[in-house]
Amino acid sequence: MMNLWWFLILVIIILTVVILVSIRNQKKAVALSVTDSISGVLNDVGFEMEADRCIRKNGGQYALVILSVNTLRKISNTFGSDGKKRVIAHIARVLKANLSNMEPVSRIHDNMFCFLLRNQQTEEIRARLKRIDDDVNLFNQKNSYVKLISDK
């Protein structure tokens, strides 16, 4: 009788572990399905879901910003795909550092990022975009890449 109890306890423990691992793997799969693998930010599907959630939760107005890195092909041709990936990852880090958790960011195409800025005056938006531009181009100064965004 005692062996049966130990067996049942062992089965319950094993089933619990299997269920927990399955839940964790499912969460990972969902996260991977909405995340860009190079930049670590949302992909277009994830952005649409997160933008909808933010707008519904906060109401208010947002500015939609699309950032196109026109020199990415030149960077790839000159420095290879590793150089291109480093630039993409740097831009993603800069965007995440300059945006709040209620301002989603995504990589929607090879050389395009998209993000929302919460309701602010035009001058505040310009100042934030300038700061992002400066932060992104710091990478250029350290790594001898071509100017990434602005044509200063």
Side-chain angles (χ1 to χ4, degrees), residues 12-27:
I12 291 171
I13 291 171
I14 291 172
L15 285 174
T16 303
V17 169
V18 167
I19 290 170
L20 291 174
V21 168
S22 175
I23 290 170
R24 187 183 69 190
N25 288 340
Q26 184 179 15
K27 287 180 181 178

Side-chain angles (χ1 to χ4, degrees), residues 93-137:
R93 282 191 305 275
V94 167
L95 291 174
K96 287 193 275 187
N98 282 280
L99 301 174
S100 76
N101 62 346
M102 294 310 292
E103 295 174 319
V105 60
S106 74
R107 181 167 167 242
I108 58 173
H109 192 268
D110 186 49
N111 68 332
M112 293 180 127
F113 288 83
C114 178
F115 55 96
L116 293 180
L117 294 176
R118 287 190 72 184
N119 52 338
Q120 298 172 327
Q121 299 300 320
T122 303
E123 288 307 313
E124 292 175 77
I125 292 172
R126 282 190 180 124
R128 288 184 73 192
L129 293 176
K130 170 80 170 95
R131 190 169 44 250
I132 289 169
D133 180 48
D134 291 345
D135 290 352
V136 166
N137 284 307

Side-chain angles (χ1 to χ4, degrees), residues 38 69-88 107 110-111 139 144-146 148:
I38 295 174
V69 187
N70 295 325
T71 57
L72 203 55
R73 178 170 287 179
K74 184 176 180 179
I75 291 168
S76 181
N77 290 342
T78 305
F79 300 99
S81 64
D82 287 342
K84 174 183 165 182
K85 288 176 183 178
R86 288 181 60 211
V87 170
I88 289 169
R107 181 167 167 242
D110 186 49
N111 68 332
F139 190 76
S144 301
Y145 290 116
V146 295
L148 297 178

Side-chain angles (χ1 to χ4, degrees), residues 46-69:
F47 180 78
E48 186 177 330
M49 291 177 358
E50 187 63 17
D52 184 58
R53 185 188 69 78
C54 289
I55 292 168
R56 287 181 190 275
K57 183 175 180 178
N58 293 314
Q61 297 177 339
Y62 282 86
L64 175 66
V65 180
I66 297 178
L67 179 129
S68 178
V69 187

